[in-house]
Amino acid sequence: MAEYITEQKKTLLGFLRQHSERSFTVEELTEGIKKMKQGIGRAPGKSTVYRLMTRFVEEGTVKRFVRGHSRRFVYQIVSCEHSDLHLHMKCMKCGKLLHLDEGLSDELMKKVKKLSNFSVNESETVLFGKCAECVSED
């Protein structure tokens, strides 16, 4: 069944793509889109953003993280195809979401399975640390 792409869905995806280096709470997304759309149409409401973000996370279009040590979720678009086929790395300093090479991802998953008999879900797993730029700034 074909999925209907609403104007609100296009707007939300467009905003996330324009800011692919950042992660946002639902409130930040709602406010950011309102500012972007000033005078050019209606921005999606908070409940619509919640619903769409849940769908995007389920589809693998967006990753959901906990912000710091809080109970607040933030969302960030995954800017690659087949994001479920490799691990992602998130810089805790600048917020970039990086993609681990599929071959290296597979090798790492096989090693974890062999050494611990534990199967890691690649589509749900993110490695946290610092990117090369942030490490060089330290």
Side-chain angles (χ1 to χ4, degrees), residues 35-47:
K35 287 178 186 172
M36 179 183 81
K37 300 243 349 145
Q38 283 181 339
I40 355 173
R42 195 167 155 234
K46 197 172 175 181
S47 62

Side-chain angles (χ1 to χ4, degrees), residues 35-83:
K35 287 178 186 172
M36 179 183 81
K37 300 243 349 145
Q38 283 181 339
I40 355 173
R42 195 167 155 234
K46 197 172 175 181
S47 62
T48 301
V49 173
Y50 269 114
R51 183 177 39 80
L52 288 172
M53 294 314 292
T54 299
R55 186 179 306 158
F56 293 156
V57 169
E58 289 169 357
E59 294 170 353
T61 306
V62 167
K63 291 280 186 192
R64 181 176 74 175
F65 306 98
V66 174
R67 179 173 277 171
H69 299 289
S70 72
R71 293 182 181 195
R72 297 189 72 182
F73 287 117
V74 291
Y75 302 88
Q76 186 168 6
I77 195 159
V78 177
S79 57
C80 67
E81 288 187 36
H82 310 294
S83 67

Side-chain angles (χ1 to χ4, degrees), residues 1-136:
M1 182 167 100
E3 185 179 338
Y4 181 69
I5 300 179
T6 65
E7 192 61 37
Q8 293 175 329
K9 186 175 182 178
K10 280 189 223 175
T11 298
L12 182 54
L13 283 172
F15 183 85
L16 288 166
R17 286 185 182 117
Q18 285 177 345
H19 303 91
S20 63
E21 298 290 319
R22 292 192 48 210
S23 53
F24 299 92
T25 64
V26 167
E27 293 80 8
E28 291 167 341
L29 285 167
T30 305
E31 287 305 310
I33 292 169
K34 277 182 189 175
K35 287 178 186 172
M36 179 183 81
K37 300 243 349 145
Q38 283 181 339
I40 355 173
R42 195 167 155 234
K46 197 172 175 181
S47 62
T48 301
V49 173
Y50 269 114
R51 183 177 39 80
L52 288 172
M53 294 314 292
T54 299
R55 186 179 306 158
F56 293 156
V57 169
E58 289 169 357
E59 294 170 353
T61 306
V62 167
K63 291 280 186 192
R64 181 176 74 175
F65 306 98
V66 174
R67 179 173 277 171
H69 299 289
S70 72
R71 293 182 181 195
R72 297 189 72 182
F73 287 117
V74 291
Y75 302 88
Q76 186 168 6
I77 195 159
V78 177
S79 57
C80 67
E81 288 187 36
H82 310 294
S83 67
D84 57 332
L85 300 177
H86 58 267
L87 294 170
H88 290 85
M89 302 169 291
K90 181 151 179 79
C91 180
M92 306 243 341
K93 186 171 180 184
C94 70
K96 286 181 189 167
L97 188 62
L98 306 164
H99 311 281
L100 190 61
D101 173 76
E102 282 185 36
L104 184 54
S105 235
D106 289 343
E107 192 178 315
L108 185 57
M109 296 300 97
K110 286 176 186 172
K111 193 159 198 153
V112 167
K113 177 77 173 163
K114 182 179 178 182
L115 293 174
S116 64
N117 198 28
F118 186 83
S119 179
V120 176
N121 180 340
E122 286 176 274
S123 66
E124 295 292 327
T125 304
V126 177
L127 304 173
F128 292 90
K130 287 185 183 177
C131 68
E133 291 88 20
C134 289
V135 167
S136 69

